Amino acid sequence: MRIGHGYDVHRLATGRKLILGGVDIPFEKGLLGHSDADVLAHAISDALLGAAALGDIGGHFPDTDPTYKNADSLLLLSKVCGLLEEKNYKIENIDATIIAQAPKLKPYIEKMRKNLAAACKIGFDQISVKATTEEELGFSGAGEGIAAHAVCIIMSAGDGQKA
């Protein structure tokens, strides 16, 4: 069994879509980044890569590469899951938290979970997404950005087998 942790943050900016967990959320600002800046998908990707000791999302999909300009982060997450599959790892579960003062995200959580589960080829019950505010403290509380944390457990094909 291996555990991974991922974290991502992006600045909010006008003229951008707000995409979290592959869901386009109506809001006056979106996240600024080279890709679609989906902090939730990025944090999950980093957690999975970290658990498998495969580096981080920036190493696999650098923001200096025009290939990833405005890239769909769910597609990048699918590629991360493909790397894990190549290394014989299976995702047991993912638990993620979005930190945003606004907008309210509860109405979108179920769709985020469905999108992320599909991208990872895991069951809906293997992924948890929560949202919280920072009670108007820090950059997210001031409405300057949105962050996400994710933890995961992955298993290798040999885990759980007796020698």
Side-chain angles (χ1 to χ4, degrees), residues 139-159:
F139 70 87
S140 74
E144 296 172 10
I146 293 177
H149 284 273
V151 292
C152 69
I153 295 177
I154 64 172
M155 305 286 275
S156 70
D159 284 347

Side-chain angles (χ1 to χ4, degrees), residues 43-61:
I44 291 170
S45 292
D46 269 346
L48 294 168
L49 288 166
L54 293 173
D56 63 27
I57 191 170
H60 290 274
F61 314 108

Side-chain angles (χ1 to χ4, degrees), residues 113-159:
R113 289 178 63 205
K114 286 178 183 174
N115 289 347
L116 295 162
C120 294
K121 297 180 185 171
I122 59 174
F124 181 76
D125 64 338
Q126 290 176 277
I127 186 154
S128 172
V129 174
K130 304 170 299 295
T132 190
T133 71
E134 288 189 315
E135 302 296 331
E136 299 181 359
L137 298 172
F139 70 87
S140 74
E144 296 172 10
I146 293 177
H149 284 273
V151 292
C152 69
I153 295 177
I154 64 172
M155 305 286 275
S156 70
D159 284 347

